[in-house]
Amino acid sequence: MIYKPMSCAAIHDLSGVGKCSLTVALPVLSACGVETSAMPTAVLSTHTGGFSGFTYRDLTEDVLPIAEHWKSVGCRFSALYSGFLGSAEQTGAVAGIFRMFGGEDVLVFVDPVMGDGGKLYTTITPALAEGMKELCRGADVIAPNLTEAAFLLDAPYVDGPLERPAVEAMLRDLCALGPRWAVLTGVRVEGLLGAACYDSSTGAAHFWLKEEIPGSYHGTGDLFSSTLLGGLLNGMDLSEACRTAVDFTHKVIETTRERSADIRFGPKFEVHLPELARIMEDFRAGAV
């Protein structure tokens, strides 16, 4: 085994049922060899996609005290990873955590979870959306979908296939907000679906596309972002990490479609975690 010290603070909500957010980030990053600490922003009985009557406990008041305690006991992280946030106040708290634990050797990854299909989620207020934009300005890498990218850029949402130059222009505009790397998910190009990434330091854009699988699969955005981050922490360049995340997410969606009696309960990624661990181990071995 090739051991590489890697650690991450994952700042997401926790849904007890319906795999997403922390219940995806923790096992996926662990399979990638990343020691992951969980910072729950809220606790829900289930996720909100397709379930009704769920319980919701907001933890905004606890986020900074948790971070301050971590700091007091000497916690340090290779990456800071934020996802869905429940309030505008939480964006300010997360910005404080980035300042508290950030540094030149710390990768700040923001998945600006705000909406899909051209619409913001009902919990996303204008103040929260503006706060998320500010978090993206201070990030090293961001990974919005097309809806989130449109809101970040104050641009119209385009529903339908895109041309490569239009995607590349959007990625450049996202990096102009501040991050070094931008990854755009849910990209439909040339009859295929996947992700595109852009490195502002080199000006290089890459597309990783697969055959589209019909349906909408809750939690796969978290699956993609967590795999992408795991690849980056293992030393993959942005393009290789993006390709790995697209391939892994596509494989999990295939299994979920074939094996799940009710896709509301989340992606069936567990059986594929040993393969993901081998991919990361093989990469570490090749990098030595």
Side-chain angles (χ1 to χ4, degrees):
M1 183 190 72
I2 305 299
Y3 179 78
K4 179 181 178 182
M6 297 171 284
S7 60
C8 175
I11 310 166
H12 301 254
D13 65 287
L14 173 62
S15 294
V17 166
K19 289 167 284 185
C20 65
S21 301
L22 281 177
T23 54
V24 169
L26 288 170
V28 169
L29 285 168
S30 295
C32 294
V34 181
E35 297 181 21
T36 305
S37 300
M39 172 79 71
T41 58
V43 176
L44 297 85
S45 55
T46 69
H47 66 68
T48 61
F51 292 103
S52 59
F54 51 84
T55 66
Y56 179 88
R57 174 78 62 178
D58 184 282
L59 298 180
T60 299
E61 294 183 0
D62 298 283
V63 170
L64 280 178
I66 291 171
E68 289 163 357
H69 183 235
W70 286 0
K71 188 74 171 179
S72 74
V73 300
C75 291
R76 298 182 65 183
F77 303 103
S78 308
L80 306 172
Y81 171 30
S82 70
F84 176 84
L85 301 176
S87 67
E89 290 78 13
Q90 285 186 0
T91 64
V94 172
I97 293 170
F98 288 173
R99 291 190 295 270
M100 194 181 302
F101 292 101
E104 289 186 6
D105 58 344
V106 180
L107 184 70
V108 177
F109 186 115
V110 174
D111 184 356
V113 181
M114 292 189 290
D116 205 358
K119 297 180 180 179
L120 293 179
Y121 299 133
T122 56
T123 58
I124 306 300
T125 64
L128 197 163
E130 190 59 36
M132 193 71 82
K133 183 183 292 187
E134 289 305 309
L135 288 180
C136 289
R137 293 186 193 279
D140 295 301
V141 54
I142 61 174
N145 61 27
L146 288 168
T147 297
E148 292 150 359
F151 277 91
L152 289 172
L153 298 174
D154 297 317
Y157 169 71
V158 179
D159 182 18
L162 296 167
E163 299 293 330
R164 287 183 183 239
V167 175
E168 292 178 13
M170 195 178 302
L171 287 165
R172 287 193 296 271
D173 289 344
L174 287 168
C175 281
L177 292 175
R180 175 171 38 132
W181 297 329
V183 180
L184 193 58
T185 65
V187 173
R188 286 181 174 83
V189 175
E190 299 161 2
L192 300 172
L193 176 66
C197 59
Y198 178 75
D199 183 339
S200 65
S201 63
T202 64
H206 297 274
F207 290 74
W208 299 105
L209 307 167
K210 310 282 282 189
E211 293 290 338
E212 184 170 357
I213 300 171
S216 179
Y217 299 87
H218 192 89
T220 51
D222 300 309
L223 188 74
F224 174 89
S225 289
S226 299
T227 307
L228 175 68
L229 177 57
L232 292 172
L233 289 175
N234 273 278
M236 294 181 180
D237 64 25
L238 180 65
S239 178
E240 178 69 7
C242 187
R243 181 190 66 81
T244 300
V246 167
D247 288 348
F248 185 67
T249 303
H250 188 267
K251 184 169 292 186
V252 169
I253 292 174
E254 284 183 324
T255 299
T256 305
R257 184 168 186 249
E258 293 168 359
R259 302 295 182 182
S260 182
D262 187 341
I263 61 174
R264 292 181 304 165
F265 288 91
K268 292 190 173 296
F269 61 82
E270 294 84 357
V271 69
H272 296 295
L273 288 179
E275 179 184 356
L276 180 63
R278 285 193 298 271
I279 290 169
M280 296 299 170
E281 169 69 8
D282 289 346
F283 184 85
R284 290 195 297 272
V288 172

